[in-house]
Amino acid sequence: MRKVLLVLLILAGFAAAVLGAWAVRRTAQGGSARDERVIAFIRSPEAHADWVLEAGTRCADAPFRLPTRGFIGYVWGDSFRPGHHHSGLDIFGGTAPGETPVYAAYSGYLTRLPEWRSTVIIRIPSDPLQPERQIWTYYTHLADPQGNSLIDAAFPPGTQDVFVEAGTLLGFQGNFSGTPGAPVGVHLHFSIVRDDGGGHFLDERDIENTLDPSPYFGMALNAEALGDAIPTCPPSAP
């Protein structure tokens, strides 16, 4: 009995150490500060207008433009739980579902799978930063809490490889979590997804299948590099 108790204590101590290290790392990456800011923004967006970037914002000569208006609350590499890293950007509009437009960040070929209520993906045959490879831009949460789509009617379920110019209206920010009646905060989740080498997109939920969006937008959007700062375009060189 004593041996079993000793083993349990050792395991509990190890688990506490792992969680403590994760908490320290998350704090170092700015996760805690970002949590607080996201909550503050959702509660009172008008009080934090200086955190907001406009749709179409382009930093210097970066290839992508911001796909929607809002506060970039979470960035690539944020960690919400042990072993998990956020695969993209969460841009909070501070409005009700269906009010904040979402646009294509870069030209490409749009697909909406038949089962997708709140998601579209755009194939970019030639990555503007590495022209020899194909990439995909992924947009989701474009539905209300019950899963009623807020995607523009031009892109019904089953849309396949339709060309869209940068700046094309794709739909509106929503708060569909994937479970009807269990909404998240109204926002756009955007990520840059790798191609599998055979012309198909990889699973966006795994950060290893996505790319750091920082160089595509010309600003720090990586949790490790950003720390607890608020994402914004860097000042122009004199």
Side-chain angles (χ1 to χ4, degrees), residues 135-214:
I135 58 172
W136 305 73
T137 50
Y138 178 88
Y139 307 73
T140 196
H141 296 304
L142 309 183
D144 72 12
Q146 300 306 321
N148 298 305
S149 181
L150 299 172
I151 297 170
D152 190 85
F155 311 113
T159 297
Q160 185 71 37
D161 224 30
V162 172
F163 181 73
V164 293
E165 295 278 2
T168 298
L169 176 67
L170 304 180
F172 296 85
Q173 286 187 30
N175 54 353
F176 183 55
S177 67
T179 302
V184 293
V186 176
H187 70 287
L188 168 71
H189 174 85
F190 172 92
S191 60
I192 303 170
V193 184
R194 296 178 184 271
D195 190 87
D196 68 356
H200 305 95
F201 54 88
L202 293 171
D203 187 344
E204 181 272 345
R205 293 170 293 182
D206 184 345
I207 193 171
E208 297 300 325
N209 294 335
T210 64
L211 297 169
D212 179 355
S214 302

Side-chain angles (χ1 to χ4, degrees), residues 22 64 77 85 128 153 164 171 189 209 213 220 230 238:
W22 170 77
F64 285 9
H85 291 91
V164 293
H189 174 85
N209 294 335
I230 294 172

